[in-house]
């Protein structure tokens, strides 16, 4: 005969018991003790009683420990990790932003269940205020803040602390699931436009006017006819006035010679005239070239001809 003992083999995961219990939840500021636990407010982890650790150690659960928090009265849920097991029995301490997402008040009941979440590959956040754009490198700030989080849930509004200021960000999307684990993962982060953000209006410059509109170019042709350079008079050190001529009369507009206008002129465009010098005239008669003979001139002598030394 063959004997079969069912306790010799481990139970499959489907038949394993799961951690599930209810606690009275309070904010971290209600935690008794001399130590300051403000670091709990900067992350997504909770503080549970020691009995929870004793019960979890008896269960074959996966690590890191992740939990699902549910407020049955408002049908709101989120996910979190655990930081310590030092709370009083029957009590757990949550960050303030997490209690707001669950619509929980001080002393309210919350259901805590152990869960297994998939590793995150992508997440998208929406800042709840345009002040978040003042940060020089928002991705680096968010990456540093998410080190205190264990998981993300789509729809939650998380809070991060930077430069003694709290910024709220809504989790718009997470992949590959609506609730993911972000512990030791390579996750792509994207941002949506903040709430209340308005794009700055672009100014319309003059050169963007339609070609049908005729611009007034009369100001470009204005010439000050009353000024001529170097027309002043000088003063002598001995005080005498000599050789002073009256100032020349101002030029008339008719005396100014204008060239051919550039009909292809456009505002904002500079045209350089490369061949501005007149070209030398070509010799019409080729005989003039043949008339020139090098070194064919006559020289002059200091000694007169016809005299003997």
């Amino acid at each position: 005969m063959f004997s079969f003992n069912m306790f010799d083999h481990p139970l499959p995961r489907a038949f394993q018991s799961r951690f599930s219990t209810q606690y009275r939840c309070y904010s971290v500021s209600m935690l008794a003790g001399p130590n300051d636990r403000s670091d709990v407010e900067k992350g997504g982890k909770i503080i549970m009683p020691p009995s929870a650790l004793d019960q979890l150690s008896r269960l074959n659960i996966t690590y890191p420990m992740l939990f699902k928090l549910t407020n049955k009265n408002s049908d709101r849920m989120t996910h979190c990790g655990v930081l310590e097991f030092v709370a009083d029995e029957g009590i757990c301490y949550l960050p303030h932003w997490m209690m707001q997402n669950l619509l929980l008040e001080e002393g309210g009941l919350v259901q805590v269940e152990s869960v297994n979440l998939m590793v995150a590959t992508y997440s998208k956040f929406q800042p709840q205020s345009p002040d978040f754009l003042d940060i020089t490198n928002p991705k680096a700030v968010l990456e540093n803040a998410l080190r205190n989080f264990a998981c993300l849930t789509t729809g939650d509004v998380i809070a991060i602390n930077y430069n003694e200021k709290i910024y709220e960000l809504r989790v718009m999307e997470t992949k590959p699931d609506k609730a993911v684990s972000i512990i030791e993962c390579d996750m792509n982060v994207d941002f949506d436009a903040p709430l209340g953000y308005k794009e700055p209006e672009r100014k319309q410059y003059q050169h963007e006017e339609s070609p049908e509109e005729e611009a007034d170019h009369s100001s470009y042709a204005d010439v000050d006819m009353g000024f001529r350079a170097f027309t002043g008079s000088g003063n002598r050190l001995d005080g005498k006035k000599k050789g002073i001529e009256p100032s020349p009369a101002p030029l008339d507009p008719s005396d100014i010679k204008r060239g051919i206008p550039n009909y292809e002129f456009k505002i904002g465009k500079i045209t350089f005239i490369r061949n501005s010098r007149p070209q030398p005239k070509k010799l019409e008669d080729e005989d003039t070239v043949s008339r020139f003979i090098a070194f064919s001139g006559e020289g002059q002598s200091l000694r007169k001809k016809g005299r003997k030394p």
Side-chain angles (χ1 to χ4, degrees):
M1 296 184 62
F2 297 95
S3 62
F4 178 78
N5 189 356
M6 61 177 297
F7 298 102
D8 293 340
H9 303 277
L11 292 174
R13 289 183 177 270
F15 296 97
Q16 289 179 3
S17 59
R18 185 175 58 177
F19 178 83
S20 179
T21 185
Q22 281 190 345
Y23 292 112
R24 294 281 180 181
C25 65
Y26 294 92
S27 59
V28 182
S29 59
M30 304 291 291
L31 181 61
N35 298 330
D36 182 20
R37 301 312 306 269
S38 59
D39 56 333
V40 183
E41 293 287 353
K42 301 178 182 179
K45 299 178 182 180
I46 64 175
I47 296 179
M48 300 175 65
S51 59
L53 177 60
D54 185 30
Q55 187 176 353
L56 288 167
S57 61
R58 299 175 184 273
L59 302 175
N60 188 15
I61 62 173
T62 58
Y63 291 86
M65 299 180 185
L66 301 177
F67 300 93
K68 176 182 177 182
L69 305 182
T70 307
N71 183 5
K72 295 183 178 180
N73 294 330
S74 60
D75 197 18
R76 300 290 293 270
M77 53 82 64
T78 187
H79 296 80
C80 67
V82 59
L83 184 64
E84 291 181 356
F85 296 90
V86 295
D88 296 335
E89 293 299 330
I91 296 176
C92 68
Y93 295 95
L94 279 65
H96 182 66
W97 66 265
M98 195 175 294
M99 295 186 65
Q100 288 183 333
N101 289 332
L102 295 173
L103 302 179
L104 285 171
E105 297 180 355
E106 299 290 341
L109 287 175
V110 60
Q111 184 74 24
V112 181
E113 302 176 9
S114 60
V115 292
N116 297 327
L117 300 179
M118 302 178 66
V119 179
T121 58
Y122 172 80
S123 61
K124 187 176 183 180
F125 299 88
Q126 181 188 32
Q128 301 299 290
S129 174
D131 297 341
F132 188 75
L133 300 178
D134 298 336
I135 302 177
T136 304
N137 193 348
K139 283 192 176 182
V141 173
L142 180 61
E143 179 182 356
N144 187 35
L146 290 180
R147 295 177 181 177
N148 298 323
F149 288 74
C151 48
L152 294 174
T153 306
T154 302
D156 280 358
V157 179
I158 65 174
I160 62 175
N161 193 345
Y162 178 71
N163 277 351
E164 299 181 356
K165 188 174 182 179
I166 297 176
Y167 298 93
E168 293 184 345
L169 295 92
R170 180 178 295 275
V171 183
M172 303 296 295
E173 184 181 358
T174 56
K175 293 181 181 180
D177 200 355
K178 292 185 177 181
V180 291
S181 172
I182 60 173
I183 298 177
E184 297 181 358
C185 68
D186 186 10
M187 179 178 63
N188 295 325
V189 178
D190 194 7
F191 290 99
D192 202 351
L195 288 180
Y197 173 74
K198 295 182 180 180
E199 295 185 359
E201 299 179 357
R202 297 181 179 179
K203 297 182 180 180
Q204 296 182 355
Y205 297 95
Q206 294 182 356
H207 66 271
E208 296 180 356
E209 296 178 355
S210 60
E212 298 178 356
E213 299 180 359
E214 296 182 359
D216 185 12
H217 305 295
S218 59
S219 59
Y220 295 95
D222 294 342
V223 180
D224 188 2
M225 300 302 176
F227 172 76
R228 294 181 64 184
F230 306 105
T231 58
S233 59
N235 296 321
R236 296 169 57 94
L237 295 177
D238 54 4
K240 295 181 181 181
K241 295 182 179 180
K242 185 178 180 180
I244 300 177
E245 298 180 357
S247 334
L251 295 175
D252 294 332
S254 59
D255 297 338
I256 300 176
K257 295 182 180 180
R258 299 184 181 274
I260 300 175
N262 184 8
Y263 295 102
E264 297 180 356
F265 170 75
K266 294 182 180 179
I267 300 177
K269 182 178 179 181
I270 301 176
T271 304
F272 295 94
I273 303 175
R274 302 296 182 184
N275 300 325
S276 60
R277 296 182 180 179
Q279 298 293 336
K281 295 182 179 180
K282 296 182 179 180
L283 298 177
E284 297 179 358
D285 299 331
E286 296 180 356
D287 297 339
T288 57
V289 180
S290 61
R291 293 174 187 175
F292 174 74
I293 300 176
F295 304 105
S296 60
E298 296 181 359
Q300 300 292 335
S301 176
L302 298 177
R303 183 184 299 176
K304 293 182 179 180
K305 297 180 179 180
R307 293 182 62 183
K308 295 182 179 181

